[in-house]
Amino acid sequence: RAVTAAAADDGRALFLSNSMPIRDADRFGIAKGLDQCAANRGLAGIDGVLATALGFAARSPADGALLLIGDQALLHDAGSLRALGDAKRSGAPPLTVVVTNNGGGGIFNFLPLATNPPGAAADEVVDPDDFEALFGAPHAVDFGALAAAHGLAFARVETDEALATALAERVDFIEAVPAPSRPENVKAHAALEAPAVAAAGAVFVGGAERGAERRGFADLRFERWSGDGPPVMLLHGLFGSRADVERLRADAFPDRAAVLADLPGHGESGGGLACAFDAQVEAVLALCDRLDLVEPDLAGYSLGGRIALGCKRAAPDRVGRVV
């Protein structure tokens, strides 16, 4: 919020990195008065973000730009720091980089395998040390040294006040170190989202045929579109919602009977993000049965793709093709 407010107050454009910054901005709002905001591709994919933000800043009519980026995404494009330094020396429109450094891949702590929830299958249980090494991906990069190597003014901040000062001074490279650990960050998100989740759980948005199917831990919310041919169910990715696959339905399956579902703990569906994988598969299969979908094709990406494969493995005779 501090970064989006600074962009709005100073007349700067805002570029949001994948994966957590764009999700957090979507969840918790962008400050009023922000004229220009952009992102690279969508929710997923963290390569090339700094390079894209530099091009965005160069073409923006605003008074410079701010980039909000995570440590892993910045490290994936650390080579573009040279271009950032070159842009500064050439007098190009300024880009301030704000990197949140929580020492690794914080987004993966939102996955069920981060906590091994009760009921997880044996082959779904991940050793905590293996999780930290493979998904947490901790690092010990000195961002101040990186900034100095490329001739960039640098500030490392650990308080709201220090961040506000660095933003106001338009420091080139700001390293923001959050107080919560990566696991604590998951709890903080859940607490912030709880009121909205509770309010949304009882709401049905108009349009098409909409409904809910209760299956154990989750109320799966869905949209059903009439059409010809075998039915297809579209499953969105991690932290997404059925709205993310609406364009896919319109472009790829305009004439097919289709169901767009919010996965457990996503969108308007009930349940939690930390539910076991098999339980998520069961909920999707139950929705197929409830809607009398005969061998529906399942199309998904990210988490949705994995659940689609899980459905085919668990009930090969009840599911058609998987994409």
Side-chain angles (χ1 to χ4, degrees):
R1 288 179 177 176
V3 173
T4 64
D9 293 344
D10 294 346
R12 286 185 277 183
L14 176 65
F15 197 91
L16 296 169
S17 173
N18 324 76
S19 291
M20 285 305 296
I22 190 172
R23 287 179 166 91
D24 284 344
D26 179 61
R27 278 188 177 97
F28 307 123
I30 293 178
K32 294 181 179 179
L34 183 65
D35 292 329
Q36 193 173 21
C37 180
N40 205 7
R41 292 182 299 279
L43 291 176
I46 60 173
D47 53 303
V49 173
L50 177 54
T52 309
L54 278 165
F56 169 73
R59 296 299 298 271
S60 171
D63 183 20
L66 275 163
L67 166 62
L68 179 60
I69 188 170
D71 50 349
Q72 296 287 51
L74 182 64
L75 293 176
H76 270 68
D77 197 19
S80 292
L81 287 170
R82 175 182 174 180
L84 180 62
D86 290 345
K88 176 183 178 181
R89 286 184 287 275
S90 69
L95 173 67
T96 293
V97 175
V98 181
V99 55
T100 55
N101 183 12
N102 55 11
I107 190 171
F108 297 110
N109 285 88
F110 288 83
L111 295 174
L113 53 79
T115 55
N116 295 320
D123 62 353
E124 295 288 329
V125 175
V126 178
D127 180 87
D129 291 336
D130 290 341
F131 173 85
E132 182 64 8
L134 299 174
F135 292 90
H139 65 83
V141 173
D142 185 337
F143 287 113
L146 275 180
H150 295 89
L152 301 170
F154 175 78
R156 187 176 191 272
V157 301
E158 298 184 14
T159 65
D160 294 343
E161 294 76 11
L163 175 59
T165 298
L167 287 169
E169 294 176 351
R170 299 201 173 199
V171 175
D172 300 324
F173 193 139
I174 302 171
E175 177 188 5
V177 182
S181 65
R182 282 183 268 121
E184 290 169 344
N185 183 50
V186 176
K187 297 179 181 178
H189 276 71
L192 289 169
E193 294 166 351
V197 171
V203 175
F204 292 87
V205 183
E209 176 191 340
R210 305 186 184 244
E213 159 65 8
R214 182 161 185 80
R215 183 69 177 182
F217 61 85
D219 292 310
L220 294 191
R221 304 302 169 101
F222 64 89
E223 300 175 21
R224 190 173 190 177
W225 298 78
S226 60
D228 301 321
V232 58
M233 178 175 285
L234 306 181
L235 302 175
H236 60 79
L238 181 67
F239 299 135
S241 73
R242 62 182 188 262
D244 297 340
V245 291
E246 165 53 27
R247 182 171 178 179
L248 175 63
R249 183 205 66 80
D251 291 347
F253 308 102
D255 301 319
R256 289 275 295 274
V259 174
L260 286 59
D262 285 335
L263 294 172
H266 293 73
E268 296 176 313
S269 288
L273 288 173
C275 56
F277 175 72
D278 287 346
Q280 298 182 57
V281 168
E282 180 187 2
V284 171
L285 290 172
L287 180 58
C288 291
D289 292 343
R290 168 68 178 81
L291 299 178
D292 296 323
L293 303 181
V294 179
E295 294 187 28
D297 295 334
L298 302 182
Y301 66 93
S302 181
L303 176 63
R306 187 163 181 257
I307 290 177
L309 290 171
C311 289
K312 185 66 174 179
R313 183 182 66 176
D317 296 335
R318 293 160 62 189
V319 174
R321 297 172 296 179
V322 173
V323 181

